[in-house]
Amino acid sequence: MSKGRLEAFSDGVIAVIITIMVLELKVPHGADLAALDPLVPVFLTYVLSFVFLGIYWNNHHHLLHATGRVTGGVLWANLHLLFWLSLTPFVTGWMGENHFDSLPTALYGVVMLCAAIAYYILQTTIIRADGPHSTLAKAVGHDMKGKLSPVLYAAAIPLAFVHELLADALFVTVALIWLIPDRRIERRINST
Amino acid sequence: MSKGRLEAFSDGVIAVIITIMVLELKVPHGADLAALDPLVPVFLTYVLSFVFLGIYWNNHHHLLHATGRVTGGVLWANLHLLFWLSLTPFVTGWMGENHFDSLPTALYGVVMLCAAIAYYILQTTIIRADGPHSTLAKAVGHDMKGKLSPVLYAAAIPLAFVHELLADALFVTVALIWLIPDRRIERRINST
Amino acid sequence: MSKGRLEAFSDGVIAVIITIMVLELKVPHGADLAALDPLVPVFLTYVLSFVFLGIYWNNHHHLLHATGRVTGGVLWANLHLLFWLSLTPFVTGWMGENHFDSLPTALYGVVMLCAAIAYYILQTTIIRADGPHSTLAKAVGHDMKGKLSPVLYAAAIPLAFVHELLADALFVTVALIWLIPDRRIERRINST
Amino acid sequence: MSKGRLEAFSDGVIAVIITIMVLELKVPHGADLAALDPLVPVFLTYVLSFVFLGIYWNNHHHLLHATGRVTGGVLWANLHLLFWLSLTPFVTGWMGENHFDSLPTALYGVVMLCAAIAYYILQTTIIRADGPHSTLAKAVGHDMKGKLSPVLYAAAIPLAFVHELLADALFVTVALIWLIPDRRIERRINST
């Protein structure tokens, strides 16, 4: 029951975040193709952020499914994750409006990095509460994806100042790692 | 349980989409009837989009009610549907503000077409997971409405450039097909 | 189960409506009391609308608690109610920004009247599905409050053009009828 | 069941409040660090309000977990709490935009004080419904934190006019009292 409400609240917050992001796609005044032009980068960042939030919701769903006990620490670790996710609309809007300029792109990476760390803290907090022989501890295993993502985000931040496209390419890479079905990617990562 | 959370998240997203659309109805400064005048087309598109989102929620409700297994593919097919639905407030606002001009009307049709295709993909993904003898596979049957809707949306896109009213008439037709109780309409479609 | 999802979706929509209304309370630029001055009527309409939406959520809660079968008609009657409630932020903002001017006040009454009628339709649709001997049919009984509210709203619309305060007084009266505990008010209404 | 829906609605409202607050972080036009400068106080108030709403959600979660009966009075006491919480985005935005100026800081304290009182009323209403020997009555006990918080908020209001930082320090103190794990803080408070 306690877990049910934690899931419901997280679902609510992620549902609102994913949806209010679309408000950054400001309705243009003209009715021709030229009016849509400045919206193209905003739309692309919207797609990227939608996919990231979808991945987080997906993982969060699996994480809590395998969770046994919900302690006070788990509640706060969860709120900490939601805090960083709640900044997504802001950094998405800033990056989109400035056509993937260096600083907004780097800040996007910072928020993504913090969210990834917050997810890792949440996972660790749950495993500590459930014990090392719990379902979750076994399911997570080596967690290559979970460890690779923050490394790629951290690399994207300085690279945004070399060329924005390098950072963007890393963001898309992280998204693809999570989107492509598990087995293949895991084999690929393990064989590298 | 897994299904319960998928439903809860989808409900949350659709609830936010359907409600933030009303923010496009900007509060006018004057207090007379003339102040409401430019809002009439915005209000009409709001009603249309509200009905469409209501239909999607309704169908989504029935679809998941008949669903047995929720696989990773189903989660992503569902997020893909929510993505297109999340663009509804933007195209609704653009079409409303430009008094049903050609290009915004065509783009509205594009988003509706993509949402209809996404719904079809979700349905197919669930049937593939549940098997050809599942409740859902039988319930869907020939699915005349589901097949007719994207055809009408696809027809509306070029027709918007001939005359916007032709496209609008098709949008209203699709809405009516779903709103009028099932048996009558199905007989009509089958007899055509 | 079907009922559970209907409740969850309605809760989501009403929760978003009640919360985005606060966005009409635009943050002023100054930091003194004078800056808050123009917000007073906006705040008062916010309180009024918050109470109305609270009453609707409360009644909706009791209504669905007593509901047996959820038919397709019930789903649409419910969406119809949510449609009128979703217009509350718009009319609240318009009435607040124009300091309870005649036309905005009358339009507020129109939306409230339509919501009250939509609630009545929903109640009737559920009773028709559940039968005349159902829990709900007995619980509703004579439903004096439910019948009195639309009458008072209908009276408020023309009275807004005589003097806005007359309409406002009727709105507050309806709110009080529902807020004051049931037994007392019912006795009072029955004795009139 | 009745309780489930009360929780779901409260979760929805708090989830929306906590998320739309981020809309006060307006996306700046420039792409350099100077563009982020005016956002620093807005961001700090955002963090503070996020923590407060997180604390309220957390406590609300525990409160309803221990609740037995949901009466009409509990429904309204809960809506009363949600009303004050719904004003958080407004006072957060006003305090942030005016760099923690006296009046906005004091108003922030007023809303926090009213929310704390509303929480106390909700708790008392539930205990009255459940009886003095209920789980909740025992769990609440002396409730040092619950009694100390409104006192600190009340002190912050006049202190905001002496120096804003005094009030801000009290807000942070209240947040820390709730954030630091229970036993330690309770010992500390009891020993004072």
Side-chain angles (χ1 to χ4, degrees), chain D residues 117-141:
Chain D
I117 293 171
Y119 186 83
Y120 186 78
I121 293 173
L122 174 60
Q123 189 175 277
T124 313
T125 313
I126 295 174
I127 291 178
R128 207 179 299 147
D130 282 2
H133 302 296
S134 60
T135 324
L136 184 61
K138 282 173 199 159
V140 167

Side-chain angles (χ1 to χ4, degrees), chain B residues 51-124:
Chain B
V51 170
F52 274 131
L53 286 165
I55 291 167
Y56 271 106
W57 179 75
N58 229 320
N59 291 346
H60 192 265
H61 175 96
H62 290 306
L63 184 66
L64 281 168
H65 194 75
T67 297
R69 286 183 61 210
V70 174
T71 63
V74 171
L75 291 183
W76 281 107
N78 190 59
L79 274 167
H80 178 236
L81 171 62
L82 294 179
F83 174 76
W84 291 108
L85 293 183
S86 81
L87 294 177
T88 313
F90 174 73
V91 288
T92 302
W94 203 36
M95 185 158 95
E97 197 168 297
N98 292 289
H99 299 216
F100 301 91
D101 208 334
S102 303
L103 188 65
T105 306
L107 194 72
Y108 190 90
V110 169
V111 169
M112 285 295 126
L113 176 61
C114 291
I117 292 171
Y119 186 83
Y120 186 79
I121 293 173
L122 174 61
Q123 189 175 275
T124 313

Side-chain angles (χ1 to χ4, degrees), chain A residues 1-2 5-6 8-9 12-13 16-17 20 24 75-76 79 82-83 86-87 90 93-94 97-98 101 103-104 107, chain D residues 7 11 15 19 22 25-33 36 39 43 46-47 50 54-55 57-58 60-61 179:
Chain A
M1 165 130 175
S2 200
R5 213 182 151 183
L6 185 65
F9 182 68
V13 171
V16 181
I17 295 172
I20 63 168
E24 293 299 333
L75 291 182
W76 280 107
L79 275 166
L82 295 179
F83 173 76
S86 81
L87 294 178
F90 174 73
W94 202 37
E97 197 169 298
N98 292 289
D101 208 335
L103 187 65
L107 194 71
Chain D
E7 290 178 329
D11 280 356
T19 325
V22 90
L25 272 175
K26 303 260 161 62
V27 171
H29 288 293
D32 49 358
L33 267 180
L36 288 182
L39 288 175
F43 179 72
Y46 177 65
V47 175
F50 193 98
I55 291 168
W57 179 76
N58 228 320
H60 192 265
H61 175 95
L179 276 173

